[in-house]
Amino acid sequence: MATATIDLTGFDDLRGTSALPRSNGELVFDAPWQGRLFGLVVHLCKAGAFEWDEFKTHLIAVIDESGLTDVCDPAVYYRQFGEAFCRLAAQKKFFDATTLDKQTVAEAALLAHDDHDHDHDHPHHH
């Protein structure tokens, strides 16, 4: 079985604010969505949808605005990475912002279990 290797040359700022989380030189993802998000962003960039520096500018801004500069934690980093991609995608008009806002509200309601009315607690996994 062959494994695909992604050439990250130009995509990683090894010592900078936007450096990808690594352990022993390997990229670290805490959850499958993080790897999928990363792969999507790299794929779109390599396909010419945007320049990596455009994305990186948004990522650095999100990290700065969050005040959470310990981006070694993949849970923190990929939330910031996702927000940066959303900003870039909105700027590039990859989607209709109004539709995304409506979907975000609907998904938040589902996650908060606002879709049903009964008395019991749900376990919350973060």
Side-chain angles (χ1 to χ4, degrees):
M1 181 166 117
T3 56
T5 316
I6 298 174
D7 178 11
L8 296 175
T9 306
F11 291 95
D12 199 0
D13 181 14
L14 291 174
R15 291 188 176 82
T17 305
S18 61
L20 298 166
R22 294 180 179 273
S23 176
N24 294 325
E26 298 292 322
L27 292 179
V28 177
F29 304 103
D30 281 346
W33 70 265
Q34 296 169 353
R36 290 183 197 121
L37 172 64
F38 177 75
L40 172 69
V41 172
V42 169
H43 173 76
L44 287 172
C45 180
K46 285 187 171 195
F50 56 87
E51 296 295 321
W52 187 254
D53 283 345
E54 292 176 277
F55 172 74
K56 193 169 140 183
T57 298
H58 286 285
L59 180 58
I60 290 168
V62 169
I63 291 169
D64 287 346
E65 290 167 19
S66 74
L68 301 172
T69 56
D70 179 16
V71 292
C72 295
D73 179 355
V76 171
Y77 180 83
Y78 286 106
R79 282 187 181 87
Q80 295 169 330
F81 194 93
E83 173 62 24
F85 178 66
C86 285
R87 290 180 185 189
L88 176 66
Q91 176 187 4
K92 294 286 188 177
K93 300 190 185 326
F94 290 164
F95 55 81
D96 175 50
T98 303
T99 302
L100 178 66
D101 288 343
K102 288 178 185 175
Q103 187 63 36
T104 301
V105 169
E107 291 296 323
L110 286 173
L111 289 171
H113 300 289
D114 289 344
D115 58 333
H116 60 279
D117 186 24
H118 56 271
D119 295 328
H120 70 84
D121 291 329
H122 290 273
H124 294 283
H125 301 284
H126 297 287

